[in-house]
Amino acid sequence: MISVVVPAFNEEDAIHVLHQRLTQSAKAWGEDYEVILVDDGSHDGTLEKCRQIAASDPRFRVLSFSRNFGHQAAVSAGLRYASGDVVAVIDADLQDPPEELIRFIRKCREGFDVVYAIRTKRKENIFKRTSYFLYYRILKHLSALDIPLDAGDFCVMGRAALDALNSLPERNRFVRGLRTYVGYRQVGLSYERHSRQAGEPKYTFSKLVRLGADGIVNFSYKPLHLVMYFGLVIGFLTILAGVGVAVLYLTDTTLLGYNPRQVRGWTSLILALLFFSGLQLISLGIIGEYIGRVFEEVKARPAFIIRTKLNFERERPEAHFAAEGPAE
Ligand code: UDP
Ligand code: MG
């Protein structure tokens, strides 16, 4: 069986089209399937639309969160509840066309455990495209893992990789990174990313920055190393400068108009002071990013809380990062 996980946050205008196009595409799959719509605490009519679909089509199951927990939590919830031996993840806004899934499913059936999608063309503005382009390259450079370039959460996975992914206990889940982490046989297929079916992007700028930071901090210690190297280099340069100034003082020499015996240089002093205070704050901030995440993990709060489940008869096994209320 194939499971399709679809996170949706305020996507009321896309849900019905999604239902139609998925149902249409699924005819080509030639096997049984289920669709898990994850309503990430929407405050428009998304849940209502999902209810309508679930009532008429038992293949469409619904998980609804108690509030907005974010896209990565929604994907994680869907993956945990998926019962297929092959599982796909697509966006509710139809930017990842369901018609493409057949190619990915075939590749997976050929024996690949993870078939991830590489975006060739994006129909977004130049600022967003450039940011994504740079971000994925920086992430690849910083991360110890070989996280593929330009690959989002759109993918098809086999059961083995999915079970491994679901068993990872961390709560702050950068799914595309964890997916690389679990390993197995992975392959990328290119596709053209379409524009949105309806509405505005649900990732606000600050949510995107968060996601970006999660990707780097959760998968790399390099920012911490950089801070240390910076400190070492600056410390070393300061010693050299100290020796140089002492020599100039003792020999009463003027170098480039600078003579340490004549008290001047307020500007350079204050600039150096400000520069290094800034650097220290940045370093603290970087360390803080890590400590904050340690704090989050130690508190062990679930990554999401499910308020409503529709069309789920069976229970899924517990995962450490999940919580839920009673079934409806
Ligand atoms: N989404 C979500 N929770 C959020 C933000 C977004 O479940 O807090 C869903 C959204 O409904 C969509 C997918 O995540 O199905 C991708 O979001 P969006 O289209 O805003 O991102 P983009 O495609 O611009 O990267
Ligand atoms: Mg989108």
Side-chain angles (χ1 to χ4, degrees), residues 273-291:
L273 201 77
L274 287 176
F275 176 72
F276 291 110
S277 315
L279 219 58
Q280 281 176 25
L281 286 179
I282 292 172
S283 311
L284 274 179
I286 291 177
I287 298 167
E289 282 292 321
Y290 287 87
I291 295 180

Side-chain angles (χ1 to χ4, degrees), residues 91 93 95 193 196:
D91 280 353
D93 58 11
Q95 283 194 276
R193 191 158 161 88
R196 274 189 152 262

Side-chain angles (χ1 to χ4, degrees), residues 11 91-96 119 122 124 128 132 193-198 200-203:
E11 304 282 7
D91 280 353
D93 58 11
L94 294 164
Q95 283 194 276
D96 317 321
R119 301 154 175 176
R122 284 178 164 272
E124 278 142 353
K128 222 173 168 179
Y132 276 112
R193 191 158 161 88
H194 289 219
S195 37
R196 274 189 152 262
Q197 162 67 24
E200 293 296 310
K202 300 303 170 326
Y203 262 100

Side-chain angles (χ1 to χ4, degrees), residues 109-183:
R109 290 275 180 227
E110 272 173 31
F112 286 95
D113 296 284
V114 176
V115 188
Y116 56 85
I118 303 166
R119 301 154 175 176
T120 49
K121 273 192 200 155
R122 284 178 164 272
K123 299 198 173 126
E124 278 142 353
N125 66 40
I126 181 87
F127 173 71
K128 222 173 168 179
R129 285 209 312 261
T130 322
S131 313
Y132 276 112
F133 182 86
L134 289 177
Y135 174 73
Y136 279 114
R137 272 135 199 95
I138 293 173
L139 177 64
K140 190 183 172 71
H141 183 72
L142 289 179
S143 169
L145 288 173
D146 210 3
I147 298 181
L149 293 169
D150 304 314
D153 291 321
F154 180 22
C155 70
V156 171
M157 267 184 278
R159 186 37 72 179
L162 180 68
D163 283 343
L165 184 62
N166 282 340
S167 71
L168 301 176
E170 63 195 84
R171 284 132 234 282
N172 187 332
R173 300 177 83 77
F174 185 68
V175 177
R176 62 199 75 165
L178 297 177
R179 190 181 67 203
T180 306
Y181 173 85
V182 299

